Amino acid sequence: MSLDPSTGTNRGQVLALCFSYALIGAVLWPIGQNWRAHPKDNFPLSYYPMFSAKREAVETFYYVVGLDAEGKRRYIPHTIIGDGGGNQVRRQLRKIVNAGRAPELAQQVAERLARKRSYRKIVSVSVIRGQYSVDDFFHGKKDPISERVYGFAEVERKAAS
Amino acid sequence: MRPLRESFHDFWFTPAPAKRLGMLRIILGAFICLWMWSELSDFIKVPYTDPRLFAPVGVVFHGPIAADLFPWAVYATFGLAILFTLGLWHRVTGPLFAGMFLWLLCYRQSWSMIYHSDDVVVLHAIVLGVARSADALSLDAYFRKRRSPASNFSDQVSWQYNWPVKLMCSLVVCSYFLAAVAKLAGPLGLSWMTGENLRAQMAVDGIRKELLGKDPNPFAYAIYDKVLLFTVLSAGSLITELFAPLALFNKRVGWLWSINAFFMHWGILAVMHITFHYQLSGVMYMAFFPVERILDLWYGRAPEAKRRARVPAPAVEVDRVPQPVGQHATLYYDGECGLCDRFVQFVLRRDHSEYFQFATLQSEGGRRQLATLDMSGTDLKTIMLVEGDERYTRSTAALRICRRLAAPWPLLYGFMVIPKPLRDGVYSFVAARRKRWFPPPAECPVMPPELRRRFLS
């Protein structure tokens, strides 16, 4: 290709077109995932499935709950459960539960809580899969319809020296 | 009708200034540097995630790399991002940066979560990395100019600077179009537009966040029962996504669409607390705009004013009628209108490059000029701007004037995206009442000679 941009050649334009077609084609390629039985997302070539899934009246959620000595619940933040953003940790949590490694995670979270003063009242940790009525939740009824504990660990703190 | 192939060729290869591509490189590079800097601690933590959660995506075809090695990859990419922004050794650092950035983001997203908001930023980095985006506004251009002034491309206009811009715009609209297709091809189809599902999506997202320890979003609770609002939001966002390709074929449509998409993401942030950095910053849509004009608006006038200050002004007779030629534009206005008078004073104070000259519609000089332009019948309610061979009236004239004033007034030029009939409607409403609202000054202030010579008498 000519070095001087003012004297660009047809060859240069053909190359530019090929590159452009290739990139646009690659970006549009994942559109076929929409009609697959098991679509697979990718990066940076995505089919952008966000917000397209149908939501049900009752939805399933994965989360970690800490209990204090009086049995009061406290939801454990994603920053303590794992590394990354909230959505990333949520997906990792589901993957861990489905892989049967929830007890291991509960133990890890318990160890992290033991080192945090702001969670000193928490005595145990549960990794939970729960079902909630979406509409009820947004009208103030925040109790789960059902819950199943997949992992449990007690928070063991070293005695203050 | 021209063959489609020819029209496409013109669309893709119409000459564009090198500075546009240079400006896009700087804006994208600065965005990536700031973004990487703010997320550096999260980047560094990536290799410490449980390796059993690793699921490679994109160009990552291997397993997790050594935890000690990864920070160096992050630092190297960050360093290359700085070189890319500065435009130093771009023929090497541009593609290298694009490749490293692509790998880094793919690796980061290989831990069970794909962030769709990062797709387009990496694609744009690839385009600008391989294109000649450092021919202007770069250290490469600076050194090239010093070595050999004849080979300086900074002020060049060429097809080589247009296709990357068009490609960047195309990638943006493709991503939105794909999102629309995913919704329409999904289980809900067109009924996605009813808003019920968007409302449920917002609610599920809110519950997830609360169950992962975040505070409730009061705004989401406040609008949850406003079903009609969700219908409007759903229909609006689906239309924005589905018709995104139209933004490519008309400059104004492109601007309007970009602004609409930009605010759509701010709406998503308010409702769902989802942060799409690239979209929210507006950087994603910059390719739709003539960004090189930022230079003209921000500091381009200053050197011109300084140059004028250095060159002794020719002796001008105060009463001589200067002709509106070359680097001047002439504003014709109603000399008996208080609002027009204030506007002229406003322009005089902010037109540091002395670009504008003025003539009242009632003055002999003004009438003579208008007669030569075949515009003798200009209504007193109409301000008119003559810029070279072009004539602009009403709101267009006012906004084009703002475009040439000192910062921040050029920002008002953004109102040009509003359709002309609407703008002129507002203009006419004010113009019809201008004498009532802004009575003419009782006495005219005495003007210094350097200002008087800018008025056609």
Side-chain angles (χ1 to χ4, degrees):
Chain A
M1 206 185 299
S2 166
L3 187 66
D4 184 349
S6 64
T7 58
T9 58
N10 281 337
R11 187 167 156 259
Q13 294 191 350
V14 170
L15 280 175
L17 269 183
C18 289
F19 178 74
S20 304
Y21 281 144
L23 202 51
I24 291 173
V27 168
L28 290 175
W29 188 257
I31 202 167
Q33 296 291 335
N34 288 299
W35 294 279
R36 289 200 175 177
H38 301 289
K40 192 174 184 303
D41 203 8
N42 209 329
F43 178 88
L45 307 177
S46 169
Y47 72 108
Y48 297 93
M50 61 276 196
F51 308 134
S52 62
K54 187 173 185 237
R55 294 296 173 201
E56 304 295 341
V58 174
E59 285 277 339
T60 302
F61 301 92
Y62 295 83
Y63 45 95
V64 181
V65 167
L67 288 180
D68 65 16
E70 294 162 1
K72 199 175 163 191
R73 289 161 67 104
R74 183 165 172 186
Y75 293 108
I76 305 301
H78 69 88
T79 48
I80 294 176
I81 301 168
D83 293 323
N87 275 323
Q88 185 167 13
V89 170
R90 172 177 63 78
R91 286 187 178 227
Q92 291 175 350
L93 186 53
R94 188 176 62 188
K95 212 169 170 178
I96 288 168
V97 171
N98 291 337
R101 292 191 279 117
E104 186 188 332
L105 177 68
Q107 190 58 46
Q108 286 170 0
V109 174
E111 285 168 13
R112 285 173 202 154
L113 289 182
R115 293 193 292 267
K116 292 190 180 291
R117 279 180 57 83
S118 53
Y119 289 89
R120 60 184 178 276
K121 287 184 181 171
I122 302 295
V123 295
S124 69
V125 170
S126 302
V127 177
I128 295 174
R129 178 179 183 267
Q131 291 194 308
Y132 285 76
S133 161
V134 175
D135 207 49
D136 285 351
F137 194 96
F138 261 69
H139 287 111
K141 295 177 190 166
K142 300 202 172 189
D143 296 328
I145 294 171
S146 67
E147 277 188 334
R148 186 173 166 190
V149 176
Y150 283 82
F152 177 84
E154 287 183 358
V155 181
E156 292 172 7
R157 294 181 176 84
K158 289 175 188 169
S161 54
Chain B
M1 197 176 154
R2 298 169 69 215
L4 191 66
R5 195 178 146 198
E6 206 176 305
S7 303
F8 178 77
H9 182 275
D10 288 354
F11 171 73
W12 214 248
F13 294 119
T14 302
K19 282 181 179 165
R20 180 171 304 168
L21 211 51
M23 200 68 201
L24 286 173
R25 188 201 77 249
I26 291 171
I27 294 170
L28 178 72
F31 168 81
I32 291 173
C33 287
L34 286 172
W35 177 62
M36 281 190 75
W37 181 257
S38 67
E39 305 248 318
L40 209 54
S41 58
D42 285 347
F43 269 108
I44 300 298
K45 276 194 286 186
V46 165
Y48 299 102
T49 311
D50 184 348
R52 288 170 295 186
L53 296 168
F54 191 77
V57 295
V59 296
V60 176
F61 300 108
H62 49 76
I65 63 167
D68 295 345
L69 199 61
F70 186 74
W72 292 105
V74 175
Y75 297 140
T77 310
F78 187 68
L80 284 166
I82 293 171
L83 294 180
F84 169 81
T85 311
L86 297 172
L88 186 62
W89 308 310
H90 183 78
R91 286 169 78 92
V92 175
T93 57
L96 198 59
F97 161 67
M100 280 295 288
F101 189 54
L102 172 66
W103 177 85
L104 186 70
L105 289 196
C106 288
Y107 190 79
R108 191 194 183 196
Q109 311 212 17
S110 295
W111 304 87
S112 312
M113 178 70 196
I114 289 174
Y115 291 95
H116 297 104
S117 56
D118 296 347
D119 289 344
V120 181
V121 67
V122 77
L123 293 170
H124 279 178
I126 291 170
V127 174
L128 290 177
V130 301
R132 303 180 63 136
S133 60
D135 278 5
L137 307 176
S138 64
L139 288 178
D140 280 354
Y142 173 74
F143 291 129
R144 192 181 299 123
K145 193 176 179 182
R146 279 186 60 177
R147 275 198 310 270
S148 162
S151 65
N152 176 32
F153 304 145
S154 289
D155 296 321
Q156 284 266 20
V157 174
S158 162
W159 61 266
Q160 301 226 42
Y161 308 123
N162 192 43
W163 71 263
V165 179
K166 295 293 182 194
L167 181 54
M168 287 173 77
C169 294
S170 302
L171 296 173
V172 172
V173 301
C174 281
S175 67
Y176 282 89
F177 182 71
L178 284 174
V181 173
K183 290 182 182 85
L184 294 175
L188 292 158
L190 257 183
S191 63
W192 192 90
M193 287 175 87
T194 61
E196 277 293 342
N197 198 54
L198 182 66
R199 181 168 167 260
Q201 293 275 2
M202 182 203 74
V204 167
D205 189 71
I207 297 172
R208 278 175 180 164
K209 286 185 169 124
E210 283 190 45
L211 297 182
L212 286 174
K214 287 193 176 175
D215 291 333
N217 176 4
F219 187 63
Y221 279 89
I223 63 170
Y224 180 73
D225 287 325
K226 313 263 188 289
V227 180
L228 185 63
L229 175 68
F230 286 96
T231 307
V232 172
L233 292 176
S234 295
S237 57
L238 193 59
I239 289 167
T240 300
E241 290 172 345
L242 194 61
F243 293 102
L246 295 180
L248 291 177
F249 300 110
N250 181 282
K251 188 173 69 179
R252 294 262 170 91
V253 174
W255 294 353
L256 273 175
W257 179 84
S258 302
I259 292 165
N260 188 38
F262 172 73
F263 283 114
M264 184 177 91
H265 286 286
W266 277 95
I268 293 171
L269 177 68
V271 173
M272 299 172 86
H273 282 185
I274 297 177
T275 314
F276 294 94
H277 293 99
Y278 195 42
Q279 289 84 346
L280 290 170
S281 67
V283 175
M284 183 174 181
Y285 312 103
M286 285 294 147
F288 288 92
F289 296 88
V291 285
E292 74 281 7
R293 290 193 190 165
I294 293 172
L295 297 170
D296 294 342
L297 301 179
W298 198 248
Y299 83 102
R301 301 280 85 78
E304 196 180 332
K306 280 179 192 165
R307 197 169 59 244
R308 280 163 177 273
R310 281 199 300 271
V311 178
V316 177
E317 289 175 38
V318 169
D319 292 333
R320 211 189 91 203
V321 179
Q323 298 300 306
V325 291
Q327 292 296 309
H328 291 288
T330 308
L331 168 65
Y332 297 90
Y333 67 100
D334 178 5
E336 293 168 6
C337 157
L339 178 61
C340 302
D341 182 64
R342 288 178 204 194
F343 183 63
V344 167
Q345 299 297 331
F346 171 86
V347 173
L348 275 171
R349 281 197 297 274
R350 290 160 183 84
D351 176 23
H352 302 314
S353 60
E354 300 184 9
Y355 179 72
F356 293 105
Q357 298 178 132
F358 309 89
T360 66
L361 290 164
Q362 296 92 339
S363 69
E364 192 187 326
R367 282 205 303 272
R368 204 164 55 229
Q369 285 288 329
L370 286 175
T372 60
L373 295 166
D374 205 19
M375 300 284 287
S376 309
T378 303
D379 178 12
L380 285 177
K381 279 187 276 193
T382 303
I383 62 161
M384 188 168 77
L385 179 71
V386 177
E387 217 172 0
D389 294 332
E390 302 293 331
R391 297 159 206 180
Y392 306 96
T393 56
R394 300 187 178 89
S395 62
T396 308
L399 293 175
R400 286 192 74 89
I401 290 166
C402 291
R403 183 171 153 254
R404 304 289 303 214
L405 303 182
W409 301 104
L411 293 176
L412 291 179
Y413 189 63
F415 284 114
M416 284 291 282
V417 298
I418 298 171
K420 191 171 184 310
L422 214 62
R423 282 188 275 118
D424 281 351
V426 176
Y427 176 93
S428 300
F429 179 81
V430 177
R433 291 155 184 80
R434 70 194 193 286
K435 291 201 173 171
R436 188 153 26 108
W437 291 350
F438 302 94
E443 50 190 41
C444 295
V446 177
M447 275 192 196
E450 66 271 18
L451 290 185
R452 278 174 63 197
R453 70 185 166 88
R454 294 172 65 188
F455 286 79
L456 311 182
S457 52

